[in-house]
Amino acid sequence: MDSDASCSDCKIEFIEGKWTQILLNWINKCTVQEPRVQQLTPKCLLSIIDKYKYDICTNDLDRAILCSDDVEPFIRYKYPILRLRYLTEAMNLEKKLYIMTSVLLYYCCCNSRTGEVDNEICKNLTIDEQETILKYCERLSDMEVTINNVETAVNDALQNLLKQEENKPIQIARNQIEKLNVTSPSAQYHPLSSSEDNSNSDDSKDAAVKFISPLTVLPSAVPEASTFSNVTESVLTNDSAIDKDASEKKDISVFRTEKFGNSDDGSCESNNRCKTECDCARCSISGPCCGDPGQSTLSCGEPCSWKCKFKHLKFSRKTYVYAFAGCLTIVILLAAVLITLAVLKKKEHNRYDARRLMDDEARIFRPNAWECVENLCQKLSRPTSKRIYVSHSRCVLQCMGPQLWPYPIGYTLFSKNLVAMSILKLEYKFQSLPSENVHRHLAEAFKLFIGDLARLEKIGREMKNGTCDLPVKKMNIIIDIETDPDPRLRLNTDEAYTISVNSNFDFITIHLSSSSFCGARHGLETLNQMILLDQLTGYLITLSHIIVKDAPSHKYRGLMIDTGRNYIPMPDLMKTIDTMAACKLNTFHWRISDVTSFPLLLPKLKELFEFGAYDRALVYTRADVKALVTRAKVRGIRVLIEVAAPGPVGRPWFWHSEATCPAKNANYTCDNLLCLRLNMRESIFDILQLIYAEIIALTEVDDIFHLSDGVFTMINCFSLIEDRDGFLDKALNRLRMANKGFMPKLPIVWYTKHLTRTLEAKTWEHLGVQLYKWNPDSGDYLGTFRVIHSNKWDLSCEMRKQRCYKYRTWQGMYSWTSWRNIDVFTIEGGEAVLWTDFVDSGNLDYHLWPRAAAVAERLWSDIIANTTPNPEVYVRLDYHR
């Protein structure tokens, strides 16, 4: 056992060493590495990327990831189930580099757009190395890219080299025997009698020792001449060239007999059991020559028949009993297999009959049948000879494909075969969850997903007609969240996810993996859109094989609703959160106050509620806000609350002495309450700090904060810009104090001319601004700001002379892409905005959807989405709505 383990370790060490040398040759010869490297290092990976990054990058996202000095994020993005995190310990760093370099070689070979990688390998590496790399890539392409599969592919690619290495001792043995046969022909025919011959015999023994030494890799040594003779015989008899030449075979036999034969070896000269007529090369130790006593020279050279070989064998009764039992077991198993196949064939025949019956009925003409016309489903209006789909859902999945919104930007694969399933046959498993908090949120999100499927099945029970041509399979759902222990949406949260659906005889297995809870929730949303209700049978159906790899183009994808101008009830806001989750929008920007009202009830600042609310019933309590935040967190959405400051703040601040305006009447009071603004006094900032702390505590969002600083008014107010000098610096300081001494990573304000002032621009350098009604021809420089775009994504009515002029269309919002060409520090994302001057609960959905959904796809799929909506976009949006 020890020798077997040692041999296995030697093979592994040989394979890793040989593959490492091939990787080093590729790096040194193909990436022009100077000086030449002797071992794999992180610098090697960077040299590969520097060489081929323009050849292997397929989109802007790949190039953005490769701009860093670390290749690992790029590999994790391309192969999310590789799980390099398991190799982060010091002892595994060498293996991690080995695996990463191997994966990078595979990716370069499979994704070279110009063929540069292939040309370099063919030009600089040997034929054996080229063949090994080709076999490695072919083998790995048949499997998922994991650590074990990479090692398996390397092992399979190097099998030929491993066999050559193992056969080297045998080849050396052959060569030495042929050399002795040629150099000492007299020894083959004459016995050794003289002293010179004895000396030659000693030399031959020395040669024999050297001959044995390459075979010492075998499990046992070869100490005796007789055993050595058996080994040499096995080598010789396996050589096809020697078998073809009978005379050469005879000479070698005589050489072996005379050189190594003696009375102790059981040679033919001294063994009395050998017949005088027998012309055998050697005598069998356990029996006479040729395996049969009395064999003559006429038939000795003929191959022994099976009767000859097994004539001397004898079997006991026990052996016959075991043999009979084994045969009986085999017969029983074969009978069981044949019966099973017959049953399955009968079931399949019944299903085929049911399917043929449905097709025949549809071809006769069925009012609820569908046909596929140019990849679009159209209802059947007359008999046709084309393929007919007996339900709309089947036509959608097989003709058009899953109607996903927003469409994934990564790799997608959809088969054309349907499978039926039911939640009554559901099994699920949460694995690799990084924290208990993530487990709780995932359980709630999964409950919502199952609830949607249950509602579909409830509708389907009324449609079942007792005939189902598809096998109803069990669902096995596996969800894997890899690294992020925080279920909250953060600025650095990885929202990418991967879905794979595979079906076998009894099960349909759905595997969803992501690095974070938010990514897993997005995956459940995509999965929900791929499972439809079959109107014919009443069962849930989907495609049998699916692969979806997806990630958002921008990390900030928001929707703003203003509840200060018109009060929106909580049920409508809750419903809006649900619809945002269906579109994968991740930020609910709640502008909760305006010049006309302040409906947020803060126990420590009751004056704002007393003076600011339209009515005591039209307020949002702390419990209301927490309920909305909880609902949003389970759906992967952050709630961002904005309080209008420093002005105009209007009627809600009328009670405070530091709320003033420059235009005063004869009574020394503000001529228009809506023009009230806050003075830059410490008492004002004490109140703002208290509001900031309450908002952070209620929303649990501490890495993004909206400080407002906007100028939104429908009347003419004077000196709004001049009266806010110094606000940004003081507001940032109070925000840090409200956030327990930590500055949020992304404070945001509305962009105004206030930021063109030198002091304010320096204070807000590399911080967030939201562009709204910004003129690109104004000449304002935005190169120091992190921008959130809303310029053409206003869902409100376009106003002219304080009257509603027209609404912007969803096609215009989907087609607006010029925001990508604005020179800014970074583009954080975008946001659709809705002002409620003409909006209440009665027409809220009419104003939001489907235009906000069009903005959602632009922000999620911007990398691959067309600049204008094509017919396929129209169909998907209609189906999503």
Side-chain angles (χ1 to χ4, degrees):
M1 293 296 293
D2 294 339
S3 62
D4 293 342
S6 175
C7 183
S8 178
D9 293 340
C10 292
K11 291 181 180 180
I12 295 174
E13 184 177 355
F14 168 77
I15 290 174
E16 291 182 351
K18 193 68 178 178
W19 183 247
T20 302
Q21 188 59 46
I22 292 176
L23 294 176
L24 290 174
N25 290 343
W26 175 54
I27 294 171
N28 288 323
K29 296 180 181 180
C30 297
T31 63
V32 194
Q33 180 72 258
E34 295 294 341
R36 296 172 63 88
V37 296
Q38 302 298 326
Q39 61 181 3
L40 299 177
T41 61
K43 187 177 180 181
C44 297
L45 302 178
L46 295 178
S47 67
I48 297 171
I49 295 302
D50 291 339
K51 175 73 175 180
Y52 298 121
K53 62 183 178 181
Y54 297 107
D55 186 32
I56 64 176
C57 291
T58 57
N59 50 48
D60 296 336
L61 183 59
D62 291 351
R63 298 185 186 93
I65 298 176
L66 287 177
C67 287
S68 63
D69 294 334
D70 189 5
V71 185
E72 183 174 349
F74 178 76
I75 296 178
R76 285 180 55 198
Y77 169 69
K78 290 297 180 181
Y79 307 105
I81 65 174
L82 186 59
R83 298 180 180 175
L84 291 172
R85 66 183 185 277
Y86 294 152
L87 304 176
T88 55
E89 297 181 2
M91 64 180 65
N92 292 327
L93 291 181
E94 183 176 350
K95 184 174 181 180
K96 184 176 182 180
L97 289 172
Y98 173 83
I99 295 295
M100 290 176 65
T101 310
S102 303
V103 172
L104 202 55
L105 171 60
Y106 168 72
Y107 183 80
C108 291
C109 291
C110 297
N111 295 273
S112 177
R113 295 182 297 168
T114 63
E116 180 183 0
V117 178
D118 301 338
N119 294 337
E120 292 286 344
I121 291 177
C122 295
K123 179 180 178 181
N124 298 305
L125 300 185
T126 64
I127 299 298
D128 290 341
E129 291 173 340
Q130 295 176 30
E131 292 179 351
T132 302
I133 293 175
L134 178 60
K135 292 177 181 178
Y136 161 73
C137 294
E138 290 177 346
R139 186 70 180 91
L140 190 56
S141 64
D142 297 334
M143 305 179 288
E144 290 286 349
V145 180
T146 64
I147 294 176
N148 291 335
N149 289 345
V150 170
E151 293 176 340
T152 301
V154 172
N155 185 27
D156 293 348
L158 291 172
Q159 282 301 314
N160 290 338
L161 295 179
L162 182 61
K163 291 179 180 179
Q164 293 176 10
E165 192 70 17
E166 292 176 348
N167 291 335
K168 279 184 180 180
I170 299 177
Q171 187 63 35
I172 294 173
R174 246 191 229 116
N175 295 339
Q176 291 199 12
I177 284 186
E178 292 177 359
K179 182 178 179 181
L180 291 174
N181 189 25
V182 173
T183 57
S184 303
S186 60
Q188 301 177 19
Y189 306 102
H190 304 287
L192 300 177
S193 56
S194 62
S195 60
E196 181 179 353
D197 293 334
N198 292 332
S199 123
N200 291 337
S201 177
D202 296 338
D203 294 340
S204 298
K205 291 180 181 179
D206 293 340
V209 174
K210 295 178 181 178
F211 173 70
I212 297 173
S213 61
L215 298 177
T216 56
V217 297
L218 297 175
S220 58
V222 190
E224 299 180 0
S226 62
T227 311
F228 173 71
S229 178
N230 295 335
V231 173
T232 56
E233 181 185 5
S234 65
V235 173
L236 294 174
T237 54
N238 288 332
D239 191 353
S240 59
I242 295 175
D243 290 340
K244 292 179 181 179
D245 193 344
S247 61
E248 185 177 355
K249 181 176 181 181
K250 182 177 179 182
D251 292 343
I252 294 175
S253 302
V254 175
F255 165 71
R256 185 187 62 252
T257 302
E258 294 184 359
K259 291 291 285 184
F260 304 104
N262 50 48
S263 59
D264 297 332
D265 297 338
S267 66
C268 286
E269 293 179 348
S270 59
N271 196 331
N272 296 328
R273 291 180 297 170
C274 292
K275 305 301 179 180
T276 57
E277 306 96 304
C278 187
D279 188 18
C280 296
R282 66 176 178 84
C283 290
S284 173
I285 297 176
S286 60
C289 295
C290 303
D292 186 12
Q295 193 82 317
S296 65
T297 59
L298 298 177
S299 60
C300 187
E302 298 178 0
C304 291
S305 64
W306 65 273
K307 294 181 179 179
C308 174
K309 293 181 180 179
F310 295 100
K311 187 175 181 180
H312 63 283
L313 297 178
K314 294 182 179 180
F315 300 101
S316 63
R317 176 182 294 180
K318 197 174 184 179
T319 304
Y320 286 112
V321 173
Y322 287 156
F324 177 76
C327 293
L328 184 61
T329 303
I330 293 174
V331 170
I332 294 174
L333 290 176
L334 287 176
V337 171
L338 291 176
I339 293 173
T340 304
L341 291 177
V343 172
L344 294 178
K345 186 175 181 180
K346 186 175 182 180
K347 289 184 177 179
E348 184 64 28
H349 182 69
N350 293 338
R351 290 172 187 156
Y352 173 76
D353 289 343
R355 188 183 302 112
R356 185 178 60 183
L357 178 61
M358 293 178 183
D359 291 342
D360 291 342
E361 291 177 359
R363 291 180 188 279
I364 293 172
F365 178 71
R366 294 187 60 170
N368 293 322
W370 299 76
E371 61 178 337
C372 184
V373 180
E374 297 181 353
N375 294 329
L376 290 176
C377 290
Q378 294 186 6
K379 200 164 187 178
L380 190 64
S381 58
R382 59 185 179 276
T384 178
S385 60
K386 297 181 180 179
R387 181 181 179 183
I388 292 176
Y389 301 91
V390 292
S391 71
H392 180 250
S393 297
R394 296 189 183 202
C395 183
V396 168
L397 290 175
Q398 294 184 298
C399 172
M400 303 162 55
Q403 300 299 290
L404 304 180
W405 191 279
Y407 200 80
I409 69 172
Y411 176 74
T412 57
L413 174 65
F414 304 110
S415 69
K416 292 295 184 180
N417 299 322
L418 294 176
V419 291
M421 53 192 173
S422 172
I423 62 171
L424 300 178
K425 299 181 178 181
L426 171 66
E427 296 178 0
Y428 67 92
K429 179 181 179 182
F430 301 158
Q431 64 182 15
S432 301
L433 299 183
S435 69
E436 184 62 29
N437 200 10
V438 169
H439 184 274
R440 288 196 300 269
H441 282 74
L442 180 60
E444 291 295 326
F446 189 75
K447 187 186 300 183
L448 295 174
F449 167 73
I450 296 299
D452 291 339
L453 299 186
R455 281 189 289 273
L456 286 178
E457 279 206 339
K458 184 177 180 181
I459 299 172
R461 291 193 190 101
E462 302 175 358
M463 302 179 178
K464 292 182 180 179
N465 56 14
T467 303
C468 182
D469 60 325
L470 298 173
V472 182
K473 299 187 177 183
K474 297 179 181 179
M475 277 197 299
N476 187 7
I477 301 177
I478 302 173
I479 301 179
D480 182 9
I481 298 179
E482 297 180 354
T483 56
D484 194 346
D486 192 349
R488 295 178 299 169
L489 179 68
R490 318 285 290 175
L491 275 176
N492 59 351
T493 297
D494 184 4
E495 297 179 80
Y497 65 90
T498 300
I499 297 175
S500 65
V501 178
N502 295 287
S503 62
N504 53 24
F505 182 70
D506 291 325
F507 280 90
I508 176 168
T509 302
I510 302 171
H511 187 204
L512 168 60
S513 62
S514 177
S515 298
S516 65
F517 160 74
C518 294
R521 198 227 64 86
H522 296 328
L524 289 175
E525 186 61 46
T526 299
L527 188 60
N528 196 1
Q529 296 179 14
M530 294 190 296
I531 299 176
L532 306 182
L533 175 65
D534 186 12
Q535 293 85 0
L536 177 68
T537 63
Y539 287 102
L540 301 177
I541 59 172
T542 189
L543 299 176
S544 59
H545 295 282
I546 298 173
I547 297 177
V548 175
K549 296 182 179 180
D550 195 13
S553 300
H554 300 284
K555 56 188 177 182
Y556 186 102
R557 306 178 304 281
L559 171 65
M560 189 210 82
I561 296 181
D562 154 50
T563 60
R565 301 183 183 182
N566 252 336
Y567 179 82
I568 305 296
M570 285 301 298
D572 295 291
L573 296 181
M574 295 284 191
K575 186 170 60 175
T576 301
I577 292 292
D578 296 344
T579 317
M580 288 177 61
C583 301
K584 297 187 178 70
L585 292 170
N586 67 356
T587 303
F588 177 58
H589 177 185
W590 190 358
R591 182 175 167 90
I592 205 166
S593 71
D594 205 272
V595 295
T596 53
S597 74
F598 193 105
L600 179 60
L601 176 58
L602 299 176
K604 296 181 180 180
L605 294 170
K606 293 184 179 180
E607 293 85 356
L608 289 174
F609 157 70
E610 295 291 344
F611 285 85
Y614 287 125
D615 186 84
R616 287 183 173 272
L618 304 179
V619 296
Y620 304 109
T621 65
R622 289 172 58 90
D624 293 335
V625 176
K626 286 186 176 181
L628 185 70
V629 169
T630 301
R631 192 181 190 90
K633 283 175 62 179
V634 174
R635 290 158 177 79
I637 299 174
R638 68 165 71 91
V639 177
L640 201 63
I641 296 180
E642 174 197 353
V643 172
V649 293
R651 183 173 54 214
W653 291 83
F654 177 70
W655 57 275
H656 202 284
S657 60
E658 297 297 339
T660 61
C661 64
K664 296 183 180 181
N665 54 24
N667 296 328
Y668 298 99
T669 58
C670 188
D671 193 29
N672 193 323
L673 288 179
L674 300 182
C675 288
L676 284 175
R677 80 287 312 272
L678 303 176
N679 292 331
M680 302 297 105
R681 306 289 186 185
E682 290 301 320
S683 59
I684 292 294
F685 285 100
D686 290 339
I687 297 176
L688 291 178
Q689 179 181 337
L690 185 60
I691 295 175
Y692 297 160
E694 285 284 338
I695 290 175
I696 294 174
L698 289 172
T699 62
E700 301 179 21
V701 178
D702 54 8
D703 59 337
I704 302 180
F705 197 91
H706 207 298
L707 287 170
S708 189
D709 195 37
V711 182
F712 302 109
T713 177
M714 297 181 66
I715 59 175
N716 187 17
C717 299
F718 302 102
S719 304
L720 287 176
I721 298 298
E722 292 77 5
D723 288 350
R724 66 183 62 218
D725 286 344
F727 171 76
L728 294 180
D729 186 50
K730 293 180 180 180
L732 282 178
N733 185 40
R734 292 305 182 108
L735 177 59
R736 182 186 293 108
M737 296 169 64
N739 197 26
K740 301 178 181 179
F742 296 97
M743 176 62 69
K745 295 181 180 179
L746 184 63
I748 305 171
V749 295
W750 295 96
Y751 182 81
T752 62
K753 288 294 183 180
H754 187 217
L755 289 173
T756 60
R757 298 171 180 260
T758 304
L759 180 60
E760 308 297 339
K762 185 175 181 180
T763 300
W764 212 252
E765 187 175 7
H766 296 171
L767 298 181
V769 297
Q770 186 169 357
L771 295 185
Y772 176 73
K773 292 185 177 180
W774 178 74
N775 184 9
D777 299 327
S778 63
D780 296 346
Y781 179 65
L782 304 176
T784 61
F785 300 129
R786 299 162 65 181
V787 173
I788 297 171
H789 289 280
S790 300
N791 211 31
K792 298 293 184 180
W793 290 331
D794 188 356
L795 306 175
S796 314
C797 183
E798 186 175 347
M799 305 296 293
R800 289 190 180 181
K801 298 181 179 180
Q802 298 185 2
R803 295 188 181 275
C804 178
Y805 173 66
K806 69 176 181 178
Y807 287 95
R808 301 169 181 85
T809 64
W810 73 264
Q811 293 91 339
M813 294 184 177
Y814 189 92
S815 303
W816 183 52
T817 58
S818 60
W819 54 277
R820 296 180 296 191
N821 304 323
I822 300 175
D823 184 18
V824 298
F825 182 70
T826 60
I827 297 177
E828 297 296 321
E831 183 176 275
V833 298
L834 176 63
W835 304 97
T836 57
D837 302 85
F838 304 100
V839 178
D840 59 10
S841 61
N843 60 358
L844 177 65
D845 289 341
Y846 166 78
H847 283 81
L848 289 177
W849 316 110
R851 294 183 296 164
V855 177
E857 173 152 305
R858 174 56 59 192
L859 292 173
W860 180 281
S861 311
D862 183 54
I863 292 178
I864 65 166
N866 294 327
T867 55
T868 57
N870 55 22
E872 183 265 341
V873 175
Y874 276 81
V875 174
R876 284 193 299 108
L877 183 58
D878 181 66
Y879 199 90
H880 177 69
R881 186 185 186 191

